[in-house]
């Protein structure tokens, strides 16, 4: 019987080649999109799950209560002195490890050196927490001794090529001579942290302190959040068993302090710890000092929804064409029922046929996936390869898509076809057609509602991205190069600056604690006197430490007072410049009124306000502009900024490299462009725009295939009607308009349904940005016009074909 059903299904497919092609190709496109997105989602959800104890590994994070009473988002780093105390006082913590990752460390062997970023000083317990296979060496001893280093496989090949690196020495930052004690496997791509070098943490002893006050290993550094801290909890233990005792732990080791109002406040009321499961970091954590850029669970959910919608659109095509062509198989159903087939048997037969069509579609989809995989890998930013498609998880996805598609596409047609009454069918009186037509119209409306919503979303996302890239951020973002600045650069800054400015292609240079796009973290407090009243830190105001010419280099405007000047000798740590937001928060309406006001940076010097800068977006435009105070203190800077003359940037950078090599011999020049850093802030949004664009186009193509098939079948079913109309005098244009408008009105209804849903979704998405574009009327016009045009042009070919048929031939049609 099954063999007979398969033969019947294959015969039915071959008998209607055009409709079968539309069904299979439409399903294949929808399935391929679904498969690609599910592979992407699986990769996003798999981060850090390769660790043996992934369910028991946590990162310890820190938060503070701010001046306004709110608790700021957690720091993903912790002060180093907490770690041995946590491990000693909480029995639930089996292992704890600190990681310290200094930026841009020079790694040298002889005269060969490279500036490296993914280098971490790590405690040996890191091997007990993370699963880090060693190709050479022993995890028990590799990081026990001072000045030991473990290299990744790639770094071992880079520095030692075919030689055995074990026991060889390397020079770090011209200060540490370390010995290779191990070679580890490269960190998997789906890790929130990638480590090329691990240096024994004990090597840091005494680097910035001595004895019990040692900066990295002592027991008194509870303030500087410089180390990543990971813990492995005991089995059957959760952070909830630790969290209630954390306040007592904090109060025990850090005495209460006076707040800004002079009241004694417990540490536990101002400082908070949080334990975050490591596998959740990539999608759920967006904290200060994240090790690497993370993704966002919201985009995973959005793309998953898109995958479902695209597949639904493809399945709707199948259902529409299957039910529309029901009359072609009515006699078959009637005869089968007469000879004893019940509804259940017929339903299973038609469902089996849909699964066979879906099987062919999956094969075609697999081919499409393999074809576009390199392009998808490029714009998604995920390392998804051929072996991922045929991995157990990939095959499970293929099987799941086949099963879901077979059920979703075939269930309704199977029940619909099997419901025909044999007596009525064999008399030639088909009933139930009206119900089928209404269902098909509903499905067309639903299908185009999804497509219109996607088009609407593409337009709004593109508009917002254009706004982010082109709006005035308060400074000139063009032709600015950012270079990491270490102690040597800071010490020799004036000499280096003079050499750089001798080049006419370098317009300006400055140092700063961080460049725009960096997080404004430091807010140690301030005091200001206004109209004789002394005010101490009524709100948090980040401190920006810079050299002279900071505002000049970035093209920031001073709207009141003056800029820093070398002609004023006391500008260093005595002159302060506020931004407009800071002035407003202080309750001052006219920025000129704050000029000359006595000002003190808590922990710093006493001086006065010399200027007010026009507001500028230092951080992402997702965030409101913060009040900022800027003062001259280049000793605490970490970034060198250069403004270059427009044009021939590469040649100018080569000349900068020559100057750099004279001042920092052995240190390769590393730089980024400010514009690149700004674009990285919105990497997820750019990826979302690309995916929305591609998938909306595919949704339109699938929808067009379905409409084309339905229009073809409608024209075929109404052949005799068209012949009669033409005989009675209807023109070809009348016939075209008649058939086209039937579909156009349902697309108009789809717009009415899609608009409020798309508007709500995009308004919610734009809510993530403090500064955003207006949705306006254009997304409504574009989505409606494009969808309507696509629908009309899709059916117009079949309409013209039907309208041009000889009426004599049409009247003979059965």
């Amino acid at each position: 019987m099954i063999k007979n059903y398969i033969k019947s299904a294959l015969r039915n497919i071959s008998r209607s080649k055009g409709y079968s092609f539309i069904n299979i190709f439409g399903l294949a496109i929808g399935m391929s999109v679904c498969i690609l997105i599910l592979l992407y989602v699986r990769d996003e959800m798999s981060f850090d799950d390769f660790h043996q104890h992934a369910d028991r590994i946590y990162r310890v994070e820190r938060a503070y209560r701010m001046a306004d009473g709110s608790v700021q988002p957690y720091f993903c780093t912790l002060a180093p002195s907490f770690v041995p105390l946590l491990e000693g006082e909480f029995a639930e913590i089996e292992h704890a490890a600190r990681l310290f990752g200094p930026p841009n460390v020079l790694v040298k062997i002889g005269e060969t050196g490279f500036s490296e970023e993914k280098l971490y000083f790590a405690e040996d317990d890191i091997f007990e927490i993370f699963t880090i296979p060693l190709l050479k060496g022993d995890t028990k001893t590799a990081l026990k001794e001072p000045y030991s280093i473990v290299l990744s496989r790639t770094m071992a090949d880079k520095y030692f090529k075919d030689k055995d690196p074990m026991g060889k020495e390397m020079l770090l930052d011209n200060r540490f001579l370390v010995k290779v004690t191990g070679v580890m496997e490269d960190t998997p791509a789906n890790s929130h942290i990638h480590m090329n070098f691990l240096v024994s943490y004990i090597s840091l002893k005494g680097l910035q302190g001595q004895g019990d006050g040692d900066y990295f290993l002592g027991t008194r550094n509870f303030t500087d959040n410089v180390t990543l801290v990971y813990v492995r909890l005991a089995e059957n233990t959760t952070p909830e068993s630790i969290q209630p005792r954390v306040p007592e732990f904090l109060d025990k080791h850090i005495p209460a302090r006076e707040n800004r109002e002079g009241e004694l406040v417990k540490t536990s009321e101002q400082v908070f710890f949080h334990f975050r499961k490591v596998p959740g970091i990539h999608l759920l954590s967006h904290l200060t000092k994240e090790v690497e850029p993370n993704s966002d669970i919201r985009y995973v959910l959005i793309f998953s929804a898109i995958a479902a919608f695209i597949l639904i659109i493809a399945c709707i095509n199948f259902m529409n064409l299957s039910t529309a062509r029901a009359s072609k198989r009515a006699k078959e159903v009637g005869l089968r029922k007469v000879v004893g087939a019940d509804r259940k048997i017929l339903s299973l037969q038609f469902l089996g046929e849909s699964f066979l069509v879906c099987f062919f579609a999956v094969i075609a989809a697999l081919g499409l996936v393999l074809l576009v995989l390199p392009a998808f890998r490029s714009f998604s930013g995920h390392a998804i390869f051929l072996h991922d498609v045929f991995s157990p998880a990939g095959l499970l996805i293929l099987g799941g898509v086949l099963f879901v598609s077979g059920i979703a596409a075939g269930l309704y047609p199977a029940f619909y076809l099997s419901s025909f009454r044999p007596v009525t069918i064999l008399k030639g009186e088909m009933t139930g057609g009206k119900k089928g037509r209404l269902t098909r119209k509903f499905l067309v409306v639903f299908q185009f509602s999804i497509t219109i919503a996607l088009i609407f979303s593409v337009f709004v996302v593109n508009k917002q991205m254009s706004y982010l890239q082109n709006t005035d951020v308060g400074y000139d973002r063009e032709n600015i190069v950012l270079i990491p600045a270490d102690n040597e650069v800071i010490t020799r800054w004036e000499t280096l600056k003079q050499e750089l400015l001798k080049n006419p292609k370098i317009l300006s240079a400055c140092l700063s604690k961080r460049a725009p796009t960096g997080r404004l973290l430091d807010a140690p407090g301030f005091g200001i006197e206004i109209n004789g009243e002394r005010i101490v830190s009524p709100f948090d105001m980040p401190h920006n430490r810079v050299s002279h010419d900071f505002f000049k280099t970035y093209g920031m405007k001073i709207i009141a007072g003056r800029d820093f000047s070398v002609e004023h000798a006391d500008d260093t740590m005595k002159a302060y410049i506020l931004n407009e937001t800071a002035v407003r928060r202080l309750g001052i309406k006219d920025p000129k009124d704050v000029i000359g006001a006595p000002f003190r940076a808590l922990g710093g010097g006493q001086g006065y306000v010399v200027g007010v800068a026009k507001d500028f977006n230092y951080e992402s435009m997702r965030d409101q502009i913060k009040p900022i105070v800027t003062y001259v203190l280049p000793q605490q800077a970490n970034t060198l900024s250069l403004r270059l003359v427009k044009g021939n940037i590469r040649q100018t950078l080569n000349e900068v490299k020559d100057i750099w090599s004279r001042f920092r011999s052995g240190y390769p020049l590393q730089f980024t462009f400010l514009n690149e850093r700004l674009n990285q802030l919105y990497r997820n949004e750019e990826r979302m725009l690309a995916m929305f664009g591609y998938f909306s186009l595919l949704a339109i193509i699938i929808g067009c295939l379905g409409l084309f098939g339905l229009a073809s079948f409608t024209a075929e079913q109404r052949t005799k009607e068209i012949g009669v109309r033409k005989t009675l005098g209807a023109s070809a244009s009348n016939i075209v308009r008649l058939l086209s408008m039937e579909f156009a009105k349902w697309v108009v209804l789809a717009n009415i349904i899609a608009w409020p849903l798309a508007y709500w979704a995009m308004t919610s998405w734009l809510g993530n940005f403090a500064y955003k574009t207006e949705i306006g009327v254009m997304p409504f016009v574009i989505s409606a016009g494009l969808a309507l045009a696509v629908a009309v042009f899709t059916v117009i070919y079949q309409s013209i074909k039907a309208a041009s048929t000889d009426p004599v031939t049409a009247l003979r049609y059965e």
Side-chain angles (χ1 to χ4, degrees):
M1 185 172 67
I2 294 176
K3 182 178 179 181
N4 181 54
Y5 285 164
I6 293 174
K7 282 184 178 180
S8 175
L10 291 173
R11 193 179 295 119
N12 186 58
I13 291 171
S14 62
R15 188 184 299 123
S16 307
K17 294 182 178 63
Y19 295 105
S20 297
F21 172 79
I22 291 174
N23 267 338
I24 292 171
F25 187 61
L27 278 172
I29 294 176
M31 287 176 171
S32 61
V33 170
C34 190
I35 290 167
L36 285 170
I37 294 181
L38 289 177
L39 286 170
Y40 162 82
V41 169
R42 175 191 167 274
D43 194 55
E44 285 280 80
M45 300 291 288
S46 71
F47 268 65
D48 295 296
D49 66 1
F50 56 87
H51 296 296
Q52 182 181 352
H53 304 288
D55 61 329
R56 293 193 279 139
I57 304 174
Y58 293 83
R59 185 177 68 186
V60 187
E61 301 167 350
R62 187 175 188 177
Y64 293 93
R65 190 177 301 281
M66 309 310 287
D68 60 0
S70 65
V71 176
Q72 283 286 356
Y74 301 103
F75 282 79
C76 70
T77 50
L78 205 63
S81 295
F82 281 114
V83 179
L85 299 174
L86 281 169
E87 196 172 17
E89 297 193 22
F90 293 94
E92 294 90 341
I93 298 177
E94 284 187 340
H95 299 279
R98 290 170 285 192
L99 274 74
F100 170 69
N104 305 302
V105 177
L106 181 66
V107 180
K108 295 179 70 176
I109 294 180
E111 296 303 315
T112 303
F114 299 92
S115 185
E116 303 285 1
E117 288 190 337
K118 297 173 182 178
L119 183 148
Y120 293 92
F121 290 85
E123 293 183 288
D124 59 342
D125 263 12
I126 196 68
F127 293 116
E128 299 292 340
I129 298 171
F130 292 152
T131 300
I132 306 175
L134 288 193
L135 305 175
K136 295 179 181 290
D138 184 352
T139 57
K140 301 294 183 183
T141 59
L143 296 177
K144 277 285 184 187
E145 299 299 322
Y147 310 112
S148 303
I149 187 169
V150 175
L151 313 179
S152 69
R153 180 202 292 266
T154 298
M155 291 299 107
D157 292 341
K158 175 179 177 179
Y159 284 91
F160 296 97
K161 302 192 183 330
D162 298 329
K163 298 178 182 177
D164 185 357
M166 295 296 287
K168 301 292 193 304
E169 292 184 332
M170 307 176 78
L171 184 63
L172 305 184
D173 212 23
N174 285 333
R175 288 188 288 178
F176 295 93
L177 192 63
V178 296
K179 182 190 294 185
V180 179
T181 54
V183 177
M184 60 184 171
E185 190 59 82
D186 288 342
T187 309
N190 58 337
S191 174
H192 81 284
I193 179 171
H194 293 83
M195 299 172 284
N196 286 339
F197 307 86
L198 290 177
V199 184
S200 55
Y201 188 83
I202 197 172
S203 305
L204 294 169
K205 185 170 178 59
L207 185 64
Q208 290 182 265
Q210 297 294 328
D212 193 45
D214 187 281
Y215 186 80
F216 291 103
L217 287 98
T219 57
R220 296 180 183 174
N221 186 351
F222 295 111
T223 56
D224 295 326
N225 301 300
V226 295
T227 53
L228 292 159
V229 176
Y230 297 93
V231 298
R232 192 181 100 188
L233 301 186
E235 289 187 24
N236 303 316
T237 300
T238 63
E240 286 71 26
S241 63
I242 300 175
Q243 206 75 53
R245 289 176 283 151
V246 170
E248 181 183 351
F249 167 83
L250 291 169
D251 293 334
K252 175 181 176 181
H253 294 286
I254 307 176
R257 296 184 180 180
E258 288 188 359
N259 63 12
R260 290 162 182 171
E261 287 75 34
E263 301 168 339
L264 201 63
V265 178
K266 290 182 178 180
T267 301
S268 60
E269 296 176 8
Q270 298 295 317
V271 178
F272 307 89
F273 282 179
H274 175 71
F275 293 82
R276 185 185 299 276
K277 187 171 283 190
V278 165
I281 289 174
H282 178 68
L283 291 177
L284 302 174
S285 182
H286 307 92
L287 308 183
T288 300
K289 296 184 180 179
E290 287 288 357
V291 187
E292 298 176 16
N294 287 332
S295 187
D296 196 317
I297 188 65
R298 290 174 299 179
Y299 293 114
V300 169
L301 296 175
I302 288 171
F303 295 144
S304 299
I306 290 175
F309 286 144
I310 295 288
L311 193 60
I312 287 171
I313 290 173
C315 290
I316 285 173
N317 281 353
F318 185 94
M319 287 187 281
N320 272 338
L321 290 177
S322 296
T323 55
R325 293 184 59 79
S327 62
K328 296 290 184 180
R329 305 192 66 180
K331 287 187 178 181
E332 176 191 345
V333 173
L335 287 172
R336 286 185 182 276
K337 283 193 171 185
V338 167
V339 297
D342 61 16
R343 186 171 182 180
K344 180 180 179 182
I345 294 295
L346 288 171
S347 296
L348 289 174
Q349 177 197 343
F350 293 127
L351 193 59
E353 288 183 12
S354 76
F355 267 100
L356 188 61
V357 171
C358 289
F359 176 76
F360 292 143
V362 163
I363 300 301
L366 190 57
L368 290 174
V369 166
L370 300 181
L371 184 66
V372 304
L373 195 57
F376 182 78
R377 186 165 55 242
S378 175
F379 82 81
S380 72
H382 279 255
I384 301 172
F385 295 92
L386 184 63
H387 62 82
D388 295 300
V389 179
F390 294 103
S391 67
L395 293 175
L396 184 63
I397 288 172
L398 290 174
V401 169
L402 172 60
F403 178 78
V404 170
S405 301
I407 294 294
L411 203 57
Y412 173 71
F415 281 115
Y416 179 75
L417 289 168
S418 63
S419 68
F420 294 157
R421 297 171 60 191
V423 174
T424 306
I425 294 169
L426 295 177
K427 283 183 178 180
E429 301 173 2
M430 275 285 296
T431 59
K434 184 177 181 181
K435 181 180 178 182
R437 285 195 297 273
L438 286 174
T439 303
R440 289 194 293 277
K441 289 171 183 177
F442 167 77
L443 292 175
V444 167
V445 170
F446 182 73
Q447 184 182 51
F448 264 82
S449 294
I450 295 172
T451 304
I452 290 161
L454 285 173
I455 295 171
F456 189 102
S457 300
V458 168
F459 190 89
V460 174
V461 173
N462 184 63
K463 190 177 180 183
Q464 175 65 6
M465 290 305 300
S466 177
Y467 177 83
L468 295 175
Q469 292 166 357
N470 299 308
T471 194
D472 181 14
V473 291
Y475 55 84
D476 186 353
R477 65 176 85 186
E478 300 296 330
N479 305 314
I480 289 186
V481 174
L482 308 175
I483 302 169
D486 58 11
N487 289 332
E488 185 69 17
V489 170
I490 294 169
T491 302
R492 304 178 63 188
W493 168 239
E494 291 301 328
T495 306
L496 175 59
K497 178 182 175 182
Q498 291 174 14
E499 286 298 311
L500 288 168
L501 294 182
K502 285 179 182 178
N503 188 325
K505 298 173 187 174
I506 301 174
L507 298 177
S508 185
C510 72
L511 294 175
S512 59
K513 176 66 175 174
R514 57 187 61 83
T517 71
R519 297 293 301 273
L520 292 166
L521 307 177
D522 306 321
F526 67 96
I528 189 170
E529 187 176 316
I530 299 175
N531 299 325
E533 180 185 359
R534 187 170 180 271
I535 303 172
V536 179
S537 300
F539 51 84
D540 293 294
M541 181 153 61
H543 292 205
N544 189 23
R545 292 92 163 185
V546 303
S547 69
H548 294 88
D549 291 338
F550 171 79
F551 291 98
K552 174 185 174 183
T553 301
Y554 281 92
M556 297 171 179
K557 297 178 181 178
I558 303 297
I559 60 172
R562 63 174 177 84
D563 195 353
F564 301 123
S565 173
V566 293
E567 296 178 1
H568 295 78
D570 60 351
D571 268 10
T572 301
M573 275 301 294
K574 287 190 176 181
Y576 297 90
I577 294 178
L578 308 180
N579 67 345
E580 289 178 287
T581 297
V583 172
R584 283 195 299 271
R585 292 287 298 274
L586 288 168
I588 300 172
K589 294 183 179 179
D590 190 344
K592 295 178 182 177
D593 293 343
V594 80
I595 304 301
F599 191 97
R600 182 191 173 202
L602 299 187
Q606 177 77 41
Y608 48 89
V609 178
V610 300
V612 176
K614 183 178 176 61
D615 273 343
F616 49 91
N617 287 89
Y618 212 92
E619 300 176 301
S620 164
M621 292 183 72
R622 296 184 189 89
D623 306 314
Q624 291 284 350
I625 292 176
K626 294 178 181 178
I628 304 171
V629 58
T630 304
Y631 49 93
V632 178
L633 187 61
Q635 294 85 350
Q636 295 187 10
N638 58 20
T639 303
L640 164 58
S641 303
L642 300 178
R643 175 169 293 283
L644 308 182
V645 172
K646 186 178 180 180
N648 208 352
I649 298 294
R650 180 172 296 180
Q651 181 182 339
T652 305
L653 286 173
N654 287 333
E655 293 169 8
V656 172
K657 287 179 182 177
D658 292 337
I659 299 171
W660 183 266
S661 63
R662 296 200 301 271
F663 278 80
R664 302 295 287 127
S665 178
Y667 283 76
L669 177 67
Q670 291 189 309
F671 62 88
T672 57
F673 289 97
L674 180 61
N675 258 337
E676 291 178 1
R677 292 261 292 264
L678 284 166
N679 291 336
Q680 287 175 3
L681 289 177
Y682 313 111
R683 180 175 60 92
N684 281 332
E685 284 74 21
E686 289 180 348
R687 184 174 295 162
M688 180 180 177
L689 174 60
M691 286 194 171
F692 264 30
Y694 288 124
F695 297 148
S696 297
L697 177 61
L698 290 173
I700 291 170
I701 292 172
I702 297 170
C704 287
L705 282 172
L707 274 183
F708 185 85
L710 274 179
S712 175
F713 185 74
T714 300
E716 182 182 334
Q717 291 291 90
R718 300 177 70 175
T719 300
K720 188 170 286 188
E721 176 194 341
I722 291 168
V724 172
R725 287 180 179 276
K726 292 191 72 174
T727 301
L728 295 175
S731 64
S733 61
N734 293 139
I735 302 299
V736 170
R737 185 166 56 253
L738 172 71
L739 295 177
S740 300
M741 289 304 295
E742 181 174 341
F743 290 97
K745 64 184 179 183
W746 300 118
V747 175
V748 171
L749 178 59
N751 275 284
I752 295 172
I753 295 171
W755 280 343
L757 296 174
Y759 182 84
W760 169 79
M762 285 296 97
T763 301
S764 300
W765 178 73
L766 287 173
N768 296 316
F769 298 86
Y771 304 94
K772 50 187 175 289
T773 185
E774 295 292 331
I775 291 179
V777 72
M778 286 307 295
F780 297 94
V781 175
I782 295 294
S783 60
L786 185 58
L788 192 59
V790 165
V792 170
F793 280 109
T794 299
V795 301
I796 206 166
Y797 168 76
Q798 291 295 342
S799 301
I800 293 172
K801 183 179 176 182
S804 60
T805 303
D806 189 334
V808 175
T809 304
L811 291 173
R812 289 175 180 169
Y813 178 81
E814 291 295 336

